[in-house]
């Protein structure tokens, strides 16, 4: 037995389809409804009765659909012996394409225009995924009267005396199977991802509820901030004086960022001083200047200049983050970040959704990754594989900083990728070759340890094969026959074996000394051919 203390207000036709579970309308099995506002986390694990909107206070408005006509003609009405649990909720970007597909396939009670009108003043909306259950008890209509007078989406139940009340329910029976519900939910989430409309998904796990709780708190702070700014909104448009009421809305301490940049690169002091003297963006200022740019007004050049200045410190911040993350020169990163800001201003149009700072941040990182790619140290690789390498780097522990790569060996870097990422040996080797910085040729040939690579003696192959742990050598050994591999292993002392003479190997295999030499020579030739194909030795050296 469970207790029900709340009701969920919803459109009557949507409730009918939720309860129907595809029985009478086999083409539609509705499991989701729209909401304008976030539902608080404390309601996600509770049973909720349905509270239908009345005709005088409806949720949606618009032309009637075929499904509505069918529901009304057949006299289907919401019944109160059903309860629902909010399984999860998702915030999504409201676009005509998304609404059209959701209305057509998953929420057919209303048409596209009705849903778009419902979100007319919103750029994002909420989808609630509801698990509906049939129960033995009904909720008296009088228990909904007090709560239904307001505008809340979730109503508290009150008895005739106006007191809070909780009703016991039993005989709980789901109207749809778990598998079918999960399938339909995944279909809707997949649609949102394909349309690039999925903003955030909150499930009823502890992690999801905590994230939802943080979002609710953030909404309260934002609402309070807008109330404090309401009287002074857009006042800056008509007042050129330096009014102290204009304050910085940034949530970051940019002075800390500025100081860190100057510690890394003192030459950027003049740039930092310029950023400090820029007046911070004020409420509504981005939209005001973007309007001038979109309409090509007389103030367009001034608007472009002001937008660039307002995004100037964001370019410094992202350049610092890019430098710390990938070890690139911070001055180069800042220059490229500024190009990203310019691109954002030029590419922005009225169809772009969201705030300009977020749009500019996307362009800054896009240009940084394209024009200052960290993966171009040795070779130029396709953009799609850069994304794969970025995924691999995220799997490496945070203890490893990109700037430390010059202080570890190539072999250590290869094993680091192999240990912590999902790469196999071949991919780890390929990624390590791409990411590991190229060495100076002058430094390489001046190093006495590398003299053997340029020696003219006949036994240079032995210097290449000094370590059997070196991956190309292991790959070359794998291409030998079993006897050839055994002879080479004992001859050069690989795998912990002691070096053996030709005479000793002849006694071991019951062969003559000359035959062992022939086997060794043939195995060496195979290794040389493989190393030449893999570009570890030159064709001239092979000959």
């Amino acid at each position: 037995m469970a207790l029900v203390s709340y009701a969920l207000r919803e459109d009557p036709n949507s409730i009918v389809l939720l309860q129907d579970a595809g029985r009478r309308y086999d083409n539609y099995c509705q499991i989701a409804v729209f909401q304008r506002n976030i539902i608080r986390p404390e309601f996600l694990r509770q049973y909720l009765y349905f509270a239908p909107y009345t005709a005088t206070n409806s949720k949606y408005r618009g032309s009637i659909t075929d499904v509505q006509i069918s529901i009304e003609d057949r006299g289907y009405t919401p019944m109160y012996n059903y309860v629902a649990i909010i399984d999860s909720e998702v915030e999504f970007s409201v676009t005509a394409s998304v609404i059209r597909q959701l209305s057509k396939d998953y929420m057919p009670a209303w048409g596209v225009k009705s849903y778009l009108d419902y979100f007319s003043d919103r750029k994002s909306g909420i989808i609630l995924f509801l698990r509906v259950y049939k129960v033995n008890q009904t909720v008296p209509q009088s228990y909904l009267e007090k709560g239904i007078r307001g505008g809340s989406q979730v109503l508290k139940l009150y008895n005739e005396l106006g007191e809070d009340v909780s009703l016991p329910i039993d005989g709980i029976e789901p109207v749809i199977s778990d598998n079918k519900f999960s399938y339909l939910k995944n279909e809707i989430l997949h649609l949102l991802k394909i349309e690039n409309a999925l903003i955030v998904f909150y499930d009823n796990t502890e992690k999801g509820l905590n994230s939802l709780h943080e979002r609710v708190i953030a909404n309260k702070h934002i609402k309070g901030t807008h109330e404090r700014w309401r009287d002074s909104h857009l006042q800056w448009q008509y007042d050129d004086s330096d009014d102290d009421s204009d304050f910085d809305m940034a949530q970051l301490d940019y002075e800390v960022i500025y100081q860190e940049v100057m510690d890394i690169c003192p030459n950027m002091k003049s740039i930092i001083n310029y950023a400090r003297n820029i007046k911070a963006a004020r409420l509504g200022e981005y939209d005001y200047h973007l309007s001038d740019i979109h309409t090509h007004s007389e103030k367009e050049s001034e608007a472009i200049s002001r937008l660039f200045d307002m995004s100037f410190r964001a370019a410094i911040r992202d350049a610092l983050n890019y430098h710390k993350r990938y070890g690139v020169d911070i001055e180069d990163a800042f220059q490229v970040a500024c190009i990203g800001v310019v691109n954002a201003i030029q590419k922005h149009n009225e169809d772009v959704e969201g705030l300009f700072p977020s749009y500019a941040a996307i362009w800054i990182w896009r240009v940084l990754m394209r024009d200052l790619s960290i993966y171009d140290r040795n070779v130029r690789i396709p953009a799609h594989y850069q994304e794969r390498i970025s995924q691999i780097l995220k799997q490496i522990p945070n203890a490893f900083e990109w700037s430390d790569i010059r202080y570890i060996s190539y072999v250590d870097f290869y094993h680091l990728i192999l240990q912590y990422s999902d790469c196999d040996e071949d991919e780890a080797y390929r990624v390590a070759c791409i990411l590991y910085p190229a060495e100076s040729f002058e430094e390489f040939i001046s190093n006495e340890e590398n003299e053997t690579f340029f020696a003219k003696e006949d036994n240079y192959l032995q210097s290449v094969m000094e370590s059997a742990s070196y991956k190309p050598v292991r790959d070359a050994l794998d291409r030998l026959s079993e006897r050839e591999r055994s002879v080479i292993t004992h001859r050069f002392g690989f795998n912990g074996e002691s070096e053996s003479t030709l005479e000793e190997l002849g006694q071991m295999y019951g062969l003559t000394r000359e035959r062992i030499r022939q086997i060794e020579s043939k195995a060496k030739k195979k290794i040389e051919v493989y190393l030449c194909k893999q570009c570890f030795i030159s064709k001239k050296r092979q000959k």
Side-chain angles (χ1 to χ4, degrees), residues 51 56 79 97 131 171 177 251:
T56 57
M79 302 176 64
S97 175
R131 294 300 309 269
S177 67
Q251 299 180 6

Side-chain angles (χ1 to χ4, degrees), residues 196-396:
N196 198 26
L198 180 62
I199 298 176
V200 62
F201 175 70
Y202 301 106
D203 57 20
N204 57 16
T205 63
E206 290 299 326
K207 182 179 180 181
L209 294 177
N210 290 336
S211 299
L212 184 56
H213 178 68
E214 293 174 358
R215 173 60 188 275
V216 171
I217 293 176
N219 279 353
K220 290 181 179 179
H221 286 305
I222 293 173
K223 183 178 179 181
T225 302
H226 279 289
E227 290 175 352
R228 291 194 301 271
W229 291 344
R230 181 173 51 196
D231 295 336
S232 59
H233 178 49
L234 298 181
Q235 180 180 357
W236 54 269
Q237 298 183 26
Y238 313 104
D239 185 4
D240 295 331
S241 63
D242 295 331
D243 190 354
D244 292 337
S245 64
D246 290 332
F247 57 93
D248 194 347
M249 297 181 289
Q251 299 180 6
L252 297 177
D253 187 350
Y254 276 94
E255 276 303 319
V256 175
I257 295 175
Y258 294 157
Q259 188 59 49
E260 188 174 357
V261 170
M262 288 193 295
D263 290 341
I264 296 172
C265 182
N267 292 335
M268 293 185 65
K269 182 178 180 179
S270 59
I271 294 175
I272 298 302
N273 289 336
Y274 179 81
R276 284 172 172 155
N277 293 326
I278 295 175
K279 195 169 186 178
R282 290 154 287 181
L283 187 64
E285 189 171 2
Y286 283 108
D287 293 336
Y288 178 76
H289 292 305
L290 287 171
S291 176
D292 286 336
I293 295 174
H294 295 161
T295 58
H296 302 290
S297 71
E298 296 178 354
K299 297 181 179 180
E300 181 179 2
S301 59
E302 297 177 8
I304 293 174
S305 177
R306 177 57 181 158
L307 273 180
F308 180 85
D309 283 350
M310 289 191 295
S311 305
F312 193 81
R313 63 182 181 183
I316 297 176
R317 175 201 64 205
D318 290 344
L320 174 62
N321 292 335
Y322 200 77
H323 163 78
K324 291 167 64 177
R325 185 172 181 180
Y326 301 120
V328 300
D329 184 82
I330 191 170
E331 289 183 292
D332 289 344
F334 169 71
Q335 176 176 310
V336 175
C338 289
I339 295 174
V341 174
V342 173
N343 285 351
I345 296 173
Q346 293 175 343
K347 299 292 185 180
H348 194 277
N349 56 65
E350 295 178 349
D351 295 330
V352 175
E353 299 180 356
L355 300 176
F356 180 79
S358 300
Y359 182 73
I362 295 174
W363 267 103
I364 289 173
W365 277 92
R366 180 181 297 177
V367 175
L368 281 170
M369 295 298 294
R370 183 189 65 197
D371 296 344
L372 201 62
S373 176
I374 61 169
Y375 311 126
D376 292 343
R377 295 185 179 273
N378 298 336
V379 294
R380 181 74 177 180
I381 61 174
H384 73 276
Y385 199 71
Q386 291 185 13
E387 297 177 3
R388 169 59 181 159
I389 294 178
S390 180
Q391 294 173 359
I392 294 171
L393 287 181
K394 290 178 182 179
Q395 300 173 22
I396 298 177

Side-chain angles (χ1 to χ4, degrees), residues 175-210:
V175 301
I176 184 176
S177 67
D178 292 342
N179 290 339
K180 190 171 184 180
F181 178 85
S182 298
Y183 172 79
L184 292 172
K185 182 174 75 171
N186 290 335
E187 284 285 305
I188 294 176
L189 292 176
H190 180 69
L191 166 63
L192 297 178
K193 291 177 182 178
I194 292 297
E195 292 289 333
N196 198 26
L198 180 62
I199 298 176
V200 62
F201 175 70
Y202 301 106
D203 57 20
N204 57 16
T205 63
E206 290 299 326
K207 182 179 180 181
L209 294 177
N210 290 336

Side-chain angles (χ1 to χ4, degrees), residues 23-277:
R23 292 180 177 85
R24 288 172 290 196
Y25 295 90
D26 55 358
N27 293 329
Y28 306 105
C29 183
Q30 185 165 335
I31 64 165
V33 295
F34 287 125
Q35 297 290 344
R36 288 163 57 89
N37 301 311
I38 288 283
I39 298 295
R40 299 201 305 270
E42 56 264 32
F43 296 126
L44 258 65
R45 291 181 173 177
Q46 295 201 32
Y47 288 101
L48 308 170
Y49 276 110
F50 285 116
Y53 281 88
T54 62
T56 57
N57 184 22
S58 59
K59 182 175 182 179
Y60 306 115
R61 294 179 176 85
S63 58
I64 195 167
T65 64
D66 293 340
V67 174
Q68 285 187 42
I69 294 173
S70 174
I71 291 174
E72 294 177 2
D73 288 347
R74 300 181 184 185
Y76 296 148
T77 58
M79 302 176 64
Y80 296 113
N81 56 335
Y82 288 88
V83 295
I85 288 181
I86 302 176
D87 173 84
S88 50
E89 57 183 306
V90 59
E91 184 175 5
F92 72 103
S93 298
V94 176
T95 65
S97 175
V98 170
I99 296 298
R100 183 180 299 106
Q101 294 184 66
L102 290 174
S103 171
K104 177 183 177 182
D105 298 326
Y106 302 103
M107 306 179 198
W110 291 86
V112 178
K113 186 177 185 306
S114 299
Y115 289 135
L116 288 177
D117 289 344
Y118 179 65
F119 293 115
S120 60
D121 59 340
R122 306 292 177 94
K123 292 187 176 181
S124 66
I126 304 297
I127 296 177
L128 298 183
F129 292 104
L130 301 179
R131 294 300 309 269
V132 181
Y133 299 88
K134 184 177 180 180
V135 296
N136 294 333
Q137 291 77 16
T138 62
V139 57
Q141 179 66 24
S142 59
Y143 283 21
L144 301 171
E145 289 297 331
K146 183 177 179 180
I148 212 167
R149 298 170 191 166
S152 299
Q153 300 168 82
V154 179
L155 313 178
K156 186 72 179 69
L157 301 182
Y158 297 94
N159 60 17
E160 292 82 353
L161 301 177
E163 300 171 338
D164 296 358
V165 65
S166 298
L167 300 178
I169 59 172
D170 56 13
I172 301 174
E173 178 184 346
V175 301
I176 184 176
S177 67
D178 292 342
N179 290 339
K180 190 171 184 180
F181 178 85
S182 298
Y183 172 79
L184 292 172
K185 182 174 75 171
N186 290 335
E187 284 285 305
I188 294 176
L189 292 176
H190 180 69
L191 166 63
L192 297 178
K193 291 177 182 178
I194 292 297
E195 292 289 333
N196 198 26
L198 180 62
I199 298 176
V200 62
F201 175 70
Y202 301 106
D203 57 20
N204 57 16
T205 63
E206 290 299 326
K207 182 179 180 181
L209 294 177
N210 290 336
S211 299
L212 184 56
H213 178 68
E214 293 174 358
R215 173 60 188 275
V216 171
I217 293 176
N219 279 353
K220 290 181 179 179
H221 286 305
I222 293 173
K223 183 178 179 181
T225 302
H226 279 289
E227 290 175 352
R228 291 194 301 271
W229 291 344
R230 181 173 51 196
D231 295 336
S232 59
H233 178 49
L234 298 181
Q235 180 180 357
W236 54 269
Q237 298 183 26
Y238 313 104
D239 185 4
D240 295 331
S241 63
D242 295 331
D243 190 354
D244 292 337
S245 64
D246 290 332
F247 57 93
D248 194 347
M249 297 181 289
Q251 299 180 6
L252 297 177
D253 187 350
Y254 276 94
E255 276 303 319
V256 175
I257 295 175
Y258 294 157
Q259 188 59 49
E260 188 174 357
V261 170
M262 288 193 295
D263 290 341
I264 296 172
C265 182
N267 292 335
M268 293 185 65
K269 182 178 180 179
S270 59
I271 294 175
I272 298 302
N273 289 336
Y274 179 81
R276 284 172 172 155
N277 293 326

